[in-house]
DNA sequence: ACAACATTCAACCAAGTAGTTGAATAAATG
DNA sequence: CATTTATTCAACTACTTGGTTGAATGTTGT
C-alpha cells in the first residue's frame, strides 16, 4: 500500500535545487552562519536565507541562535530517510523488472 | 568542486510529488497506458498526463506509442544516478560529522 | 462513415518558488 | 550612544506547478 509520506515530499523538493545541495555540502564540513553560507554564491543574502528556510522546513538543517548570529547545523536524519526509501525501491524495482524480462523472454519462445 | 548537475534537479523534483512516486511504483509492476495509470487516482486524466510528462522530462519513464495507446515503461537509470549521489553524500557527511564530533570532544577536554 | 476510445492541446486559475530591493530588528563594537 | 553587522520581514515580479474544463487529434471497432 505504501502510505503517502509528506516528509519525502519536503526532503526531495529541498534536494531539487543545486544551491540547496551546495549549502548542505558546505554544512557537512562544519556548522556555519547564514552569511558564511551565502558568501560563495552570486545570489543575494536574502535569497540564501530563503533557501535555508526551505532546508529547515525539510528538517535537513537545524538553526541555533547565538546572539546576532544564527548557526546552521546539518541534520542528516531526513536525508537518511529518503535514502532508505530509494534503496528499498531500487531493489524492488530491479527485482521486478528482471522478472518481467524473464517472462517476456519465455513468452517469446512460446510464440 | 562537485559540478552542478541539472539531471539531479529534475530527478529530485520528479520524486517530490506523491502521485508521481505512486506512478513509478505502479510502473515497476509492469508497463501501463496513461488511462491505466490514471485510474487509481482522484485527479483528472489530464492531471496524470502532466505528471507523466514530468517523469518523462526526468527520463524516469519512457513512452512508446502503439496506435492510439501510449505505453509507459519505467526507466530506473536516472533513479540510480540520484541514488548514487545520495549514497556518496551520506557516507561523506557521516564521516565528516563523526570527525567534527571527535574534534569537539577533544576541544572540550582541553578547555 | 460513425461512434467510442486514448491522449494531448489550450486556456485558465490558485498557489508556490526563486529572485530582487528596501526597511526593520536586534546584537556587538568603537 | 552611534555605527556596523547579522539576519529577517515585507512587498513586489517573473516563472513554475498542479489542478481544472473543454476542444482537438488520431485510432479502433461496428
Amino acid at each position: 500500500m505504501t502510505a503517502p509520506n509528506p516528509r519525502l515530499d519536503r526532503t526531495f523538493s529541498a534536494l531539487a535545487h543545486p544551491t540547496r545541495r551546495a549549502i548542505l555540502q558546505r554544512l557537512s564540513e562544519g556548522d556555519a552562519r547564514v552569511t558564511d553560507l551565502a558568501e560563495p554564491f552570486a545570489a543575494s543574502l536574502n535569497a540564501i536565507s530563503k533557501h535555508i528556510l526551505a532546508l529547515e522546513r525539510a528538517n535537513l538543517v537545524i538553526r541555533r541562535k547565538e546572539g546576532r548570529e544564527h548557526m546552521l547545523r546539518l541534520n542528516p536524519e531526513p536525508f537518511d530517510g529518503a535514502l532508505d526509501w530509494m534503496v528499498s525501491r531500487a531493489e524492488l524495482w530491479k527485482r521486478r523488472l528482471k522478472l518481467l524480462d524473464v517472462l517476456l523472454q519465455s513468452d517469446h519462445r512460446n510464440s
Side-chain angles (χ1 to χ4, degrees), chain A:
Chain A
M1 197 153 304
T2 51
N5 184 346
R7 283 190 60 179
L8 283 180
D9 298 15
R10 276 173 264 138
T11 308
F12 283 132
S13 57
L15 291 175
H17 198 289
T19 300
R20 287 192 293 262
R21 291 197 301 273
I23 289 174
L24 291 177
Q25 184 69 27
R26 171 74 166 69
L27 282 177
S28 76
E29 294 163 11
D31 300 0
R33 302 173 309 153
V34 177
T35 314
D36 300 331
L37 291 173
E39 185 266 324
F41 297 101
S44 72
L45 180 66
N46 268 356
I48 304 300
S49 174
K50 285 193 189 178
H51 280 304
I52 293 171
L53 212 68
L55 291 168
E56 255 187 312
R57 264 187 266 115
N59 209 31
L60 283 162
V61 139
I62 288 163
R63 183 189 305 256
R64 172 179 81 254
K65 294 186 191 173
E66 296 183 349
R68 67 181 164 183
E69 315 186 325
H70 297 197
M71 289 303 281
L72 285 321
R73 160 157 305 178
L74 180 62
N75 179 31
E77 194 243 287
F79 190 86
D80 291 341
L83 183 51
D84 286 350
W85 181 85
M86 290 196 83
V87 167
S88 69
R89 287 310 169 278
E91 281 174 4
L92 190 66
W93 296 355
K94 213 147 291 174
R95 220 182 316 136
R96 285 196 177 152
L97 290 177
K98 199 168 291 179
L99 182 63
L100 290 171
D101 206 43
V102 171
L103 289 175
L104 193 67
Q105 300 246 335
S106 72
D107 223 45
H108 241 257
R109 271 196 295 279
N110 294 349
S111 67

